[in-house]
Amino acid sequence: MNAELIEAIRLLEKERGIDAEILFEAIEEALVSAYKREFEAKTTDNIRAEVDRETGEMRVFLTKTVVELVDDPNAEMSLEEARALSEDFDIGDMMEYQLSPQDFGRLAAQTAKNVINQKLSSAERERIQNEFSSRVGELAAGVVQRKDRREVIVDIGRAEAVLPYNEQVRLDGYNFNQRMRFYILKVDEKKGRPIVYISRSHPNLVRKLFEQEVPEIASGIVEIVSVAREAGSRSKIAVASRDANVDSVGACVGQRGLRVQAIMDELMGEKIDIIEWDPDATVFISNALSPAKVVKVDILPEEKVARVVVPDHQLSLAIGREGQNARLAARLTGWKIDIKSESQYREAVEKEFMSRFTQAVEESMDQDENN
């Protein structure tokens, strides 16, 4: 039994990350509580328990004070009883002797079990809080355990995490035992226990996947400037190189596209556009509207608006399905983007020219009449 106890403690320490010493102390506290419950002791100040860390042997010690008249049998013994053991005892002396835990009854055993469970729960709460609070904003590999209408429960190692409905992606199946990577959002409390909340839709999931997959990003040679994402459909990521000899886009794409393909596979086929960042806003905006080719970009700094002209046959490509390409480019660059085709632009220019011409003619006629 004692060997099994030691083995169980070592297993808990390994699998759940709880210090073995905490478990030993929990058992010692449980033994003291069990004695109090079994013998209806008024106090446990005079009781101590020891569990041998090597053999698992459990010992409970009870200290009694020698008194003239016994008021509490669990804490006191009469002088007559003490002198029956040794003539050297006197009033006020203390005697400690060992009890056998096996003598405790069923109720005491249940008390011990409850105390151990409480200690385990407390240690587990503290461990999860400490471990995962420091990992907020990082990735966690996980295995889907179950799914209900609103939430997905995921095993992320030494904790279960919750994937809320609004952090899920339609492309993901969330099938039992499905392995995926998740973005750690936060650690919160629910009904007194810590809950790790994770996401599959956060833009930073894409950022962190690139950091893991591309060594140049991990080392700082290539920097991710911004990310725009519509989870489950498309993402755009702007990158810049700090080394003139390193192509930032090429590093992220990888040889034969292997790096970006690995990330797309993790995201269940979500499309990813890798954009080269440029300090010149006109160039950056042009790049951001990829795969469309841009003819002209006019910047209105005060309004934070960019007026973009594209070839007629590229207008739908620049805007994207339901405006997605333009929308993501705007988020990526931080500029409002107004896109027109070349023919629309010419028409607008001509209309503005005619408007100004007409206004000038009218003003000239008014001037002649006044003269």
Side-chain angles (χ1 to χ4, degrees), residues 142-336:
V143 180
V144 174
Q145 297 298 299
R146 62 186 183 276
K147 178 184 179 182
D148 59 29
R149 286 189 307 162
R150 302 293 300 175
E151 296 179 339
V152 178
I153 306 302
V154 181
D155 180 354
I156 56 170
R158 297 191 302 188
E160 276 195 343
V162 173
L163 178 65
Y165 181 78
N166 62 345
E167 297 295 337
Q168 297 171 25
V169 177
R170 60 177 178 81
L171 291 180
D172 299 337
Y174 306 116
N175 301 313
F176 175 68
N177 265 350
Q178 185 176 357
R179 294 182 178 275
M180 311 171 81
R181 281 182 280 183
F182 302 86
Y183 181 75
I184 301 175
L185 278 179
K186 62 179 179 178
V187 180
D188 211 339
E189 279 209 2
K190 187 176 181 180
K191 295 181 180 177
R193 52 187 286 262
I195 303 289
V196 181
Y197 288 97
I198 53 179
S199 174
R200 282 282 294 179
S201 64
H202 201 286
N204 281 344
L205 174 65
V206 177
R207 181 187 292 270
K208 291 296 178 180
L209 287 171
F210 271 96
E211 287 177 3
Q212 281 193 353
E213 200 68 37
V214 182
E216 290 85 350
I217 293 177
S219 65
I221 295 173
V222 173
E223 177 190 359
I224 299 174
V225 180
S226 60
V227 178
R229 185 183 185 203
E230 292 191 356
S233 180
R234 194 181 205 99
S235 288
K236 285 182 183 282
I237 176 170
V239 293
S241 176
R242 294 176 178 173
D243 186 335
N245 297 316
V246 176
D247 174 13
S248 58
V249 174
C252 294
V253 172
Q255 192 173 13
R256 298 190 302 277
L258 290 177
R259 289 175 178 173
V260 71
Q261 188 59 52
I263 295 170
M264 289 169 65
D265 290 345
E266 172 64 38
L267 299 176
M268 306 301 166
E270 180 175 314
K271 292 180 174 60
I272 299 175
D273 297 334
I274 302 171
I275 308 299
E276 184 174 6
W277 177 83
D278 196 284
D280 185 335
T282 60
V283 177
F284 184 28
I285 292 166
S286 296
N287 294 344
L289 285 166
S290 174
K293 303 299 180 185
V294 173
V295 174
K296 177 184 176 66
V297 178
D298 288 327
I299 296 292
L300 304 176
E302 291 182 4
E303 301 169 38
K304 198 68 177 177
V305 171
R307 291 178 178 168
V308 177
V309 179
V310 299
D312 286 11
H313 68 280
Q314 298 247 316
L315 180 61
S316 60
L317 187 64
I319 294 172
R321 184 180 296 177
E322 297 178 352
Q324 185 186 67
N325 194 57
R327 194 164 54 245
L328 286 173
R331 287 186 208 157
L332 190 74
T333 60
W335 288 79
K336 293 178 182 177

Side-chain angles (χ1 to χ4, degrees), residues 26-27 29-31 33-34 104 107-117:
I27 295 170
E29 288 179 21
L31 290 171
S33 297
F104 297 0
L107 288 176
Q110 185 61 44
T111 302
K113 181 181 177 182
N114 291 341
V115 171
I116 291 171
N117 286 337

Side-chain angles (χ1 to χ4, degrees), residues 31-44 46-47 62 71-75 99 104-105 107-108 111:
L31 290 171
V32 171
S33 297
Y35 176 89
K36 183 179 180 182
R37 177 74 176 270
E38 183 71 10
F39 298 103
E40 299 180 352
K42 296 177 181 178
T43 179
T44 56
N46 62 323
I47 306 163
L62 179 65
D71 180 52
D72 181 1
N74 286 303
L99 301 168
F104 297 0
L107 288 176
T111 302

Side-chain angles (χ1 to χ4, degrees), residues 67-123:
V67 295
E68 187 73 46
L69 186 63
V70 175
D71 180 52
D72 181 1
N74 286 303
E76 300 168 340
M77 69 186 315
S78 67
L79 182 60
E80 183 180 352
E81 285 180 285
R83 286 190 171 167
L85 298 171
S86 172
E87 288 293 330
D88 295 333
F89 279 109
D90 209 341
I91 300 294
D93 288 345
M94 303 182 78
M95 183 181 74
E96 183 179 74
Y97 58 95
Q98 185 175 335
L99 301 168
S100 172
Q102 284 76 16
D103 292 341
F104 297 0
R106 184 177 59 82
L107 288 176
Q110 185 61 44
T111 302
K113 181 181 177 182
N114 291 341
V115 171
I116 291 171
N117 286 337
Q118 287 169 11
K119 193 75 172 183
L120 280 172
S121 296
S122 175

